[in-house]
Amino acid sequence: MKIKKTLALLLSLVMAAGLFSACGKSNKPTNAEKKDVTITVWHQYLPEVQKAIEDAYASFTQETGIKVQFVKQEELSKKLEVGSQSNELPDLVAGPNDWVGKYSIMGGIVSVDGLIDKKVTDGLMESTVKGFTYKGKLYGIPATFETVTLIYNKDLIKEAPKTTDELIAKAKELTKDGKYGFLIPPTDAYFNSAFFYGAKGGYLDADGNPILNKAENLEAAKILTELGKLYPKDLNHQLVSQLFKDGKAAMMINGPWELGGIKEKKINYGLAKIPALSFNKSDASPFMGVQGMMMTSAAKDKEAAAKVMEFFANEKVAKALAKTGGYMPANKKIYEDSEIKNNPDVVAFSEQAKVATAMPNVPEMGAMWDPISKALQEIVVLKEAPDKVFEKYQKAAEEAIKNMK
Amino acid sequence: MEKVIYKNSYAVKTGPKRRTRKFIKLSLAYCVLAAFIVAAILPIVWIFTTSINASNTLLTTSLDIIPEKMTLNHYKNILFGPNSNFFLWLKNSIIVAGATTGLSLMLGTTAAYAFSRFRFKGRKTLLNIFLLLNAFPNILAIVAYYKIITTLNLVNTLIGLVIVYTGGQLVFTIWNLKGYFDTLPYEIEEAALIDGASVLKIFTKIVLPLSRPAIAVTAMFSFMAGWNEYIFAMTFTTNKGIFTLPVGLWSLQNAGNYAQNWPLFAAGSLIVAVPVMIVFLLLQKSLISGLTLGSTK
Amino acid sequence: MKSKAARKLIPYFYTTPAMVVMFILVIYPIFFSIYISFTNMNMYHWKKYNLIGFDNYIRVLTSLDGEFYAVVLRTIIWTVINLVIQVSIAMGLALLLNIKELKFKGIMRTLLILPWAVPSYISALIWKGMFNHDFGIINILLSKLGLSKIPWLTSPVYGMAASIIANVWLAVPFMMIVCLGALQSIDHTYYEAADIDGATGFHKFFYITMPLIKPALVPAVILTSFVTFKQFDIIYLMTNGLGGKTDVVMTYAYNKAFTSSNYSLSSAFSVIIFFILLGLTILNMRLTKADKEV
């Protein structure tokens, strides 16, 4: 019977594939022989950044004998989630610090307390280490941090405004003839965080409770509503960056990942701190995300994996990340390096970072993005009354957090 | 021949008045079709425009099809760039889509044949249940699929993807082939049966060759399913060596943050879509006669 | 040759391989999801979860002022509008392409089905760009024609309209081909007989064409209605729910449960969506007696 034969063939194929996949997994020998260890790291850097990181790790492998294999993964966060169910995980993952709460609870990543040399963490900016600390335990080694800042086109505006009142006035003055004074993706909770945290309101308190209905947030909403009147309709990340790169926007709030494209288009740009809030005279305080390496529950050779993590904060890697990806290193020493010190972009972003708010790493933050972005949509785009909107989404956020459990 | 004569005599009888009406009717048909053709291809033309645009954009205020600053670099980067593994991804995609096609045809033709030619208990009910099972939102059940794949020990294999895609295509495959088998006259098979041919022989030697258009169309559907799918492919494959084309192309321009390379994305989209378009062209005759979800007999 | 009993077994033999695959890949995930929907499998109980009863269902059905019902109603309206437009356009195009005297049929047909070759997530992103208020080609064309710009992606009504246009664009080709196939399988003698009786085109369509192609359209319409009801890419990528005002069941479930990794809650959503869809379809089949024609 043809079909039976084919089925048998198929079955054997299936089994062969199973064998292959079993062999394909990274080999994890005992501690005694360090020579043959290969540590696998999943990450989501662009290919050219990965290459720079790999080059930096060459000397590490030479010294320790530990081989490191970097694999770029799409949908890394989802993979961590489903993978932790069946422990189909690499040894390490590189990602943002807001994964810490969620994946430590889910059992995907484990604490590295006691595995990391204190000298290493001492050499890093405190706020970045804090970003990887959850419930008093260290879960990762920070390598870089990123935040958004004010990016302006010097040909359109000579000097960046210092206060939000100035910002609004300038934005109004410069929005004309198809050009825009100031742009920000209106519904993005990350980009707009500067005003909410500057107003001393915010999204979440330290215990992970939503605080959208805090009175101070209304002040932030006022500023954003004023600015929102000047935006083109259907503004989003892509459009903000494109208008700026086309020389049609005088100012925007954006991150270091945009600089490459801006330079390519030869825009005469400058960086400045996001204007301070006029009503309370305090600095605008955007979210600061930290990128680093975390250990998964599947790591067998924890000592070797910890060494790989430590090296991720090393100056060599830090330099590679700063140069190829425009990332701000967490390693303090790097800022004494003349090449970095004289780089105005890095200096400007690190100035902004000094007044930034570390992105919460509690799992509750994961449930906040959607309600916040909906609230921003109603306030800034649809121009509805902020107090009512905040009350509504405070409730929605509370329910969303309840629904996580 | 008879029909033609009939038609001609009809036309002669109706005279010039009817002919002008016919002419107007035809021109109207052309106009309506032209309008819809423009609507159908405009977005695709626009992907093309984006893909050869030297500036990173999905938006423009100009209506030019060829942008001011034109470049073919995005295509070059995808095909031969240092970070691209295009030919490996292509190979994987062809394997996945091809195997999905083969497997679903193998399972589908046999089942469809039984559903079409035999009257057995639960036939209608089963067919209807198959159709209704498609109502399940399987994207939300991604963990269930992951469980199946891990249980079969197929994590990180192309076969794992093939099996998931085949499962998704099977209902359509069975329905479409069954519909076509129903239209084939049973008399030939009956004669063969009387001559002593086995059911298997009839199936492989008579039914399958006669069903070429339907098989071609069903194959195309299965192939497209494996070719275009990205959600499962992105979640289930962690080994670089088995990335499929959509996953690989996505990885070329996605850094997990807000910066996205639209022209590269557009060029990648076209590279994925063009082979399918070519298949459309090649199969356009069978496409119509072979898509017979419900039989008219 | 073979005994009668053996012949009776043949159909089962031919269907078994497909059944096994169906069972593993279609039926098992459904039962698994039903099981999970009664557990507390969320990020706090990710690896060890236990049965907790109807909790998740109660949550879905009693959420914030019953907003789930509004979403279901919107999804039904979305599906009906989409299908009506899709089928009418597809049928219209098929009838035109079926005109005997028409030339360039092949090339026109191929051009009309091209949208089908574009994966749906790519279509969604493209249409989002095209519907942009100031920089999208559609409003640019509208203003060149002297019309005012339309806030496609900021107003809920237009957001829905834009999503429908995009969805129709990508779904018409399939429906059109189904219609064409069905039209071409109609025996011409019917029309010739009608011509002799002096029937109008209108009459011919409703008394000959429709009844004859209906059986061919029913399964295609059912499959398409499932796809439309469960549409996610288009609405999510184009409008991202517009503050919940254009949410359909899938985007709603995605934001409510999937993003926060509450797998048991999202399973409850999928089971509820499954049964709503089943109920509506069976009801519809009964009402139109379509199930008799399979």
Side-chain angles (χ1 to χ4, degrees):
Chain A
M1 303 253 90
K2 241 184 205 161
I3 293 165
K4 253 193 190 157
K5 257 189 206 158
T6 342
L7 266 181
L9 186 76
L10 198 77
L11 261 176
S12 59
L13 265 175
V14 167
M15 267 143 57
L19 282 175
F20 276 126
S21 76
C23 298
K25 280 173 207 152
S26 56
N27 42 330
K28 288 151 192 154
T30 50
N31 282 351
E33 249 196 82
K34 278 255 183 277
K35 272 265 151 83
D36 269 350
V37 187
T38 301
I39 299 291
T40 312
V41 186
W42 286 357
H43 69 90
Q44 43 193 0
Y45 293 108
L46 279 176
E48 55 267 26
V49 180
Q50 174 183 338
K51 204 154 175 289
I53 298 173
E54 280 169 347
D55 291 345
Y57 264 94
S59 64
F60 171 81
T61 304
Q62 234 169 26
E63 244 167 67
T64 58
I66 302 169
K67 288 188 204 99
V68 192
Q69 195 190 6
F70 287 92
V71 189
K72 179 170 194 224
Q73 296 293 356
E74 303 314 310
E75 302 280 307
L76 178 47
S77 159
K78 201 90 223 147
K79 278 174 185 161
L80 255 176
E81 201 175 299
V82 290
S84 59
Q85 269 270 331
S86 46
N87 234 16
E88 296 278 347
L89 291 172
D91 304 280
L92 300 170
V93 288
N97 71 309
D98 59 342
W99 289 359
V100 168
K102 180 177 175 183
Y103 293 113
S104 61
I105 289 169
M106 292 177 102
I109 63 166
V110 293
S111 166
V112 287
D113 269 352
L115 288 164
I116 300 291
D117 194 340
K118 204 170 170 303
K119 266 186 243 155
V120 174
T121 45
D122 283 347
L124 303 170
M125 289 182 190
E126 209 193 325
S127 57
T128 62
V129 179
K130 251 194 205 153
F132 276 99
T133 311
Y134 178 64
K135 294 199 168 153
K137 282 185 183 159
L138 185 68
Y139 279 92
I141 292 289
T144 59
F145 57 90
E146 59 195 19
T147 187
V148 289
T149 198
L150 188 77
I151 305 179
Y152 62 100
N153 185 333
K154 285 181 180 164
D155 294 338
L156 298 176
I157 179 170
K158 279 202 187 100
E159 219 174 307
K162 295 272 182 306
T163 67
T164 48
D165 283 349
E166 277 175 54
L167 173 69
I168 293 169
K170 272 281 166 204
K172 275 186 185 155
E173 185 195 319
L174 295 169
T175 303
K176 58 177 182 211
D177 311 329
K179 288 197 173 157
Y180 298 94
F182 172 83
L183 297 177
I184 183 171
T187 62
D188 189 294
Y190 180 75
F191 282 64
N192 287 282
S193 57
F195 299 101
F196 289 96
Y197 281 86
K200 309 290 175 209
Y203 302 150
L204 266 185
D205 67 11
D207 302 321
N209 300 310
I211 46 167
L212 288 179
N213 57 354
K214 225 176 148 187
E216 287 84 349
N217 281 339
L218 291 172
E219 293 292 337
K222 258 189 218 162
I223 300 166
L224 291 172
T225 314
E226 277 304 306
L227 292 167
K229 289 178 187 160
L230 306 166
Y231 301 156
K233 283 213 167 83
D234 307 343
L235 190 59
N236 52 35
H237 296 106
Q238 180 209 339
L239 191 50
V240 169
S241 104
Q242 193 200 327
L243 285 169
F244 190 84
K245 280 185 270 189
D246 288 350
K248 287 190 180 139
M251 298 175 276
M252 66 168 176
I253 289 181
N254 224 322
W257 51 82
E258 282 295 325
L259 295 182
I262 294 172
K263 283 178 197 157
E264 216 173 273
K265 296 294 288 283
K266 303 207 169 60
I267 297 287
N268 183 14
Y269 73 97
L271 303 177
K273 271 209 291 197
I274 300 171
L277 284 84
S278 298
F279 86 99
N280 68 354
K281 308 274 179 293
S282 61
D283 278 316
S285 178
F287 268 167
M288 178 182 88
V290 190
Q291 301 271 339
M293 224 178 235
M294 291 157 265
M295 192 182 285
T296 74
S297 54
K300 290 243 170 65
D301 192 338
K302 289 191 172 179
E303 277 81 22
K307 285 220 171 78
V308 176
M309 282 172 78
E310 284 173 352
F311 193 78
F312 202 49
N314 179 288
E315 284 157 59
K316 274 187 191 149
V317 178
K319 244 190 211 167
L321 283 167
K323 268 194 190 160
T324 51
Y327 295 90
M328 255 47 67
N331 190 320
K332 282 188 274 191
K333 239 194 193 158
I334 229 35
Y335 295 92
E336 290 157 23
D337 185 293
S338 62
E339 214 179 318
I340 301 284
K341 216 165 40 186
N342 295 328
N343 182 336
D345 296 345
V346 176
V347 173
F349 273 107
S350 57
E351 281 303 307
Q352 182 73 66
K354 277 181 194 154
V355 295
T357 303
M359 185 140 71
N361 63 13
V362 293
E364 284 82 1
M365 193 59 214
M368 292 299 292
W369 300 111
D370 182 54
I372 299 168
S373 126
K374 283 179 176 160
L376 282 167
Q377 166 85 18
E378 291 187 11
I379 293 169
V380 184
V381 181
L382 301 175
K383 321 256 188 297
E384 284 167 30
D387 48 342
K388 273 189 200 138
V389 174
F390 281 136
E391 278 305 335
K392 180 171 149 197
Y393 285 104
Q394 170 73 16
K395 268 200 209 110
E398 279 165 9
E399 201 195 60
I401 287 173
K402 212 177 74 207
N403 274 344
M404 290 165 68
K405 291 189 179 129
Chain B
M1 209 48 214
E2 231 173 33
K3 271 178 202 166
V4 178
I5 293 165
Y6 176 77
K7 277 271 159 204
N8 283 344
S9 60
Y10 190 66
V12 170
K13 233 185 272 172
T14 51
K17 215 177 183 184
R18 279 243 165 160
R19 217 177 285 161
T20 36
R21 260 178 74 182
K22 198 131 228 171
F23 176 76
I24 293 168
K25 201 176 128 192
L26 258 181
S27 345
L28 257 172
Y30 280 118
C31 288
V32 174
L33 283 169
F36 275 95
I37 287 171
V38 169
I41 60 171
L42 189 73
I44 297 167
V45 169
W46 197 58
I47 309 178
F48 172 73
T49 309
T50 308
S51 75
I52 54 167
N53 197 334
S55 45
N56 178 11
T57 170
L58 256 185
L59 299 164
T60 164
T61 40
S62 87
L63 294 176
D64 301 339
I65 287 173
I66 305 292
E68 258 173 65
K69 277 185 227 155
M70 202 195 96
T71 175
L72 287 176
N73 270 345
H74 306 297
Y75 288 96
K76 211 175 93 195
N77 276 340
I78 287 177
L79 294 174
F80 311 108
N83 302 318
S84 176
N85 235 326
F86 181 80
F87 295 97
L88 175 74
W89 300 332
L90 180 71
K91 191 187 91 190
N92 288 337
S93 266
I94 290 174
I95 292 175
V96 168
T100 304
T101 310
L103 191 59
S104 49
L105 277 185
M106 205 177 79
L107 298 170
T109 46
T110 46
Y113 183 63
F115 279 117
S116 167
R117 284 297 183 263
F118 299 100
R119 297 292 172 264
F120 54 95
K121 244 195 180 154
R123 186 188 77 101
K124 269 192 176 174
T125 328
L126 264 177
L127 267 174
N128 281 329
I129 287 177
F130 279 4
L131 191 65
L132 293 178
L133 285 177
N134 264 23
F136 190 73
N138 55 3
I139 288 299
L140 292 176
I142 203 157
V143 175
Y145 286 97
Y146 196 75
K147 274 243 147 94
I148 297 169
I149 300 293
T150 36
T151 314
L152 294 172
N153 208 1
L154 291 176
V155 175
N156 251 331
T157 60
L158 293 176
I159 294 180
L161 288 180
V162 169
I163 287 183
V164 172
Y165 298 162
T166 304
Q169 274 312 104
L170 210 48
V171 173
F172 175 84
T173 308
I174 293 175
W175 265 84
N176 194 41
L177 289 170
K178 186 241 165 209
Y180 197 86
F181 292 162
D182 282 351
T183 65
L184 296 177
Y186 189 54
E187 290 79 22
I188 311 170
E189 289 160 67
E190 228 165 18
L193 208 63
I194 291 164
D195 286 348
S198 70
V199 173
L200 185 69
K201 203 160 195 178
I202 294 172
F203 175 60
T204 53
K205 293 273 148 67
I206 299 174
V207 177
L208 289 185
L210 279 175
S211 311
R212 245 182 244 132
I215 290 174
V217 171
T218 317
M220 188 193 84
F221 268 84
S222 309
F223 195 87
M224 271 169 76
W227 185 256
N228 285 343
E229 206 284 333
Y230 71 104
I231 293 180
F232 285 113
M234 276 195 193
T235 318
F236 292 166
T237 56
T238 58
N239 176 353
K240 234 184 161 159
I242 62 160
F243 279 2
T244 56
L245 209 46
V247 180
L249 291 174
W250 187 251
S251 77
L252 270 186
Q253 51 89 44
N254 176 41
N257 59 30
Y258 303 93
Q260 225 145 34
N261 192 336
W262 291 111
L264 204 66
F265 177 77
S269 307
L270 270 192
I271 290 179
V272 173
V274 163
V276 180
M277 295 180 186
I278 292 171
V279 174
F280 280 175
L281 259 179
L282 296 177
L283 285 184
Q284 55 148 321
K285 280 256 164 62
S286 337
L287 204 53
I288 289 157
S289 53
L291 195 59
T292 45
L293 268 178
S295 73
T296 43
K297 267 212 168 161
Chain C
M1 305 282 262
K2 275 178 193 155
S3 71
K4 232 182 167 186
R7 241 190 96 70
K8 266 207 161 143
L9 283 176
I10 291 176
Y12 297 103
F13 173 76
Y14 273 76
T15 43
T16 304
M19 294 299 199
V20 172
V21 174
M22 284 285 289
F23 192 82
I24 297 175
L25 289 159
V26 183
I27 297 170
Y28 168 76
I30 295 175
F31 278 98
F32 182 78
S33 297
I34 294 175
Y35 164 64
I36 291 298
S37 68
F38 289 103
T39 70
N40 59 352
M41 184 180 179
N42 55 40
M43 76 167 78
Y44 297 92
H45 307 90
W46 190 239
K47 292 183 180 176
K48 278 187 191 126
Y49 41 89
N50 35 320
L51 287 165
I52 54 159
F54 284 91
D55 234 37
N56 290 310
Y57 289 93
I58 293 168
R59 265 191 217 184
V60 172
L61 300 173
T62 62
S63 65
L64 283 178
D65 318 320
E67 59 181 354
F68 182 65
Y69 303 103
V71 174
V72 170
L73 187 67
R74 188 182 301 124
T75 314
I76 294 174
I77 297 171
W78 147 267
T79 310
V80 171
I81 295 179
N82 259 303
L83 280 175
V84 168
I85 300 178
Q86 264 170 45
V87 175
S88 337
I89 293 181
M91 181 61 81
L93 291 174
L95 285 171
L96 289 179
L97 284 176
N98 217 29
I99 295 176
K100 267 223 169 79
E101 295 84 352
L102 207 70
K103 286 188 180 105
F104 313 113
K105 265 185 206 156
I107 182 80
M108 288 199 286
R109 210 163 47 201
T110 311
L111 288 173
L112 281 169
I113 61 172
L114 283 187
W116 199 3
V118 184
S120 69
Y121 64 104
I122 293 173
S123 312
L125 289 170
I126 290 159
W127 279 97
K128 186 183 181 179
M130 302 210 336
F131 275 122
N132 188 284
H133 188 267
D134 293 315
F135 306 97
I137 194 164
I138 293 178
N139 271 354
I140 293 174
L141 283 175
L142 283 181
S143 51
K144 289 235 156 110
L145 292 172
L147 301 165
S148 58
K149 289 179 175 176
I150 292 174
W152 292 107
L153 303 176
T154 30
S155 120
V157 176
Y158 286 117
M160 221 54 195
S163 306
I164 289 173
I165 293 174
N167 193 56
V168 165
W169 180 79
L170 68 95
V172 158
F174 171 71
M175 202 53 96
M176 186 187 86
I177 294 292
V178 173
C179 290
L180 264 176
L183 281 180
Q184 297 196 343
S185 68
I186 296 177
D187 201 328
H188 277 279
T189 51
Y190 287 116
Y191 292 114
E192 281 148 16
D195 279 335
I196 292 168
D197 290 348
T200 62
F202 186 79
H203 273 106
K204 278 188 272 182
F205 179 72
F206 280 100
Y207 293 108
I208 302 173
T209 317
M210 277 305 270
L212 282 173
I213 63 171
K214 197 173 142 203
L217 292 191
V218 168
V221 168
I222 290 176
L223 281 177
T224 313
S225 71
F226 290 168
V227 174
T228 316
F229 196 91
K230 296 187 293 177
Q231 180 56 258
F232 175 79
D233 295 0
I234 296 285
I235 292 191
Y236 186 78
L237 293 175
M238 276 180 62
T239 69
N240 194 8
L242 271 179
K245 290 186 183 67
T246 57
D247 259 340
V248 288
V249 283
M250 287 301 279
T251 57
Y252 182 80
Y254 182 84
N255 282 330
K256 283 283 152 178
F258 205 68
T259 45
S260 55
S261 309
N262 193 336
Y263 196 61
S264 61
L265 189 62
S266 81
S267 295
F269 266 115
S270 50
V271 172
I272 291 172
I273 293 170
F274 181 52
F275 281 109
I276 291 175
L277 207 39
L278 275 191
L280 288 174
T281 310
I282 291 171
L283 185 76
N284 197 12
M285 278 165 93
R286 281 281 140 80
L287 287 179
T288 57
K289 303 223 160 60
D291 57 335
K292 297 280 181 302
E293 316 200 2
V294 169

